[in-house]
Amino acid sequence: SVYRKIMKYLNIIRHGESESSITPKNDFLRDLNDLGQYDLQNLNDYLVDQDFNKHKIICSTSTRTKQTLNLLKSSLNTESKIIFSQEFYLATFRKLIDIIDSEAKNSNMITIIGHNPGLSDLLSFTTGNYDLNDMPTSSIAQIEFYNRNIEGSYESSAKLNFFYTSKNSEIINL
């Protein structure tokens, strides 16, 4: 069999709170609201201590996810390679896995920035824990893969290292 580096860590980030969906704006173009920006700045300040190494970041092309990336870029390591994916917009967890899998070669860590319900479904599927909270806005979960070979399924193949959200000036451990 072929041996190569297999992704060990996946950071899953849900975008910050955005403008109301009842605005006349197209969903794809909705901006972060003030609270969403504030919560993400708070999360960024907290994540700086995590000392992320240079890695790949895959981000949905929606306005609010790109704004989320910009607010978290300094903590996620400004040297990281950024890939924008149109397919990430409102993707199912199976679609997310396909995209992640295609980028996982020779990557120790990948960060994804996207939308629910796909992100919450992905977190439950990979950890095998279907009792986890849905990912709130301005949240990050890090999972660590174990016992997974190149052709292995992602189902129940990871443990949750941390799951945080930023709300009301606090970092809450979920």
Side-chain angles (χ1 to χ4, degrees), residues 130-146:
Y130 295 90
D131 295 327
L132 286 171
N133 291 317
D134 278 347
M135 292 190 77
T137 54
S138 302
S139 65
I140 181 172
Q142 182 183 79
I143 57 176
E144 182 176 349
F145 292 99
Y146 59 87

Side-chain angles (χ1 to χ4, degrees), residues 40-145:
L40 287 166
Q41 287 162 346
N42 187 43
L43 186 60
N44 184 68
D45 293 345
Y46 183 78
L47 291 177
V48 165
D49 294 337
Q50 296 287 332
D51 244 356
F52 288 99
N53 292 325
K54 184 173 142 182
H55 65 287
K56 276 185 192 169
I57 299 171
I58 309 170
C59 184
S60 164
T61 53
S62 76
T63 302
R64 60 190 178 274
T65 49
K66 291 195 286 192
Q67 290 170 336
T68 296
L69 172 62
N70 284 333
L71 289 165
L72 296 177
K73 204 184 285 184
S74 61
S75 65
L76 294 176
N77 193 325
T78 55
E79 301 293 308
S80 294
K81 178 182 181 186
I82 298 168
I83 300 162
F84 290 102
S85 172
Q86 185 94 35
E87 293 178 288
F88 252 48
Y89 177 64
L90 302 181
T92 64
F93 81 95
R94 294 255 183 227
K95 184 65 179 169
L96 293 170
I97 286 172
D98 289 346
I99 298 166
I100 292 162
D101 205 42
S102 71
E103 293 294 338
K105 294 180 252 3
N106 300 315
S107 295
N108 187 47
M109 179 188 288
I110 291 178
T111 294
I112 62 171
I113 303 173
H115 311 268
N116 264 351
L119 295 180
S120 292
D121 293 346
L122 176 68
L123 183 59
S124 292
F125 180 77
T126 54
T127 61
N129 181 350
Y130 295 90
D131 295 327
L132 286 171
N133 291 317
D134 278 347
M135 292 190 77
T137 54
S138 302
S139 65
I140 181 172
Q142 182 183 79
I143 57 176
E144 182 176 349
F145 292 99

Side-chain angles (χ1 to χ4, degrees), residues 143-161:
I143 57 176
E144 182 176 349
F145 292 99
Y146 59 87
N147 293 336
R148 208 185 133 257
N149 61 30
I150 298 290
E151 294 80 26
S153 163
Y154 282 90
E155 187 170 10
S156 301
S157 65
K159 69 179 178 97
L160 185 63
N161 283 346

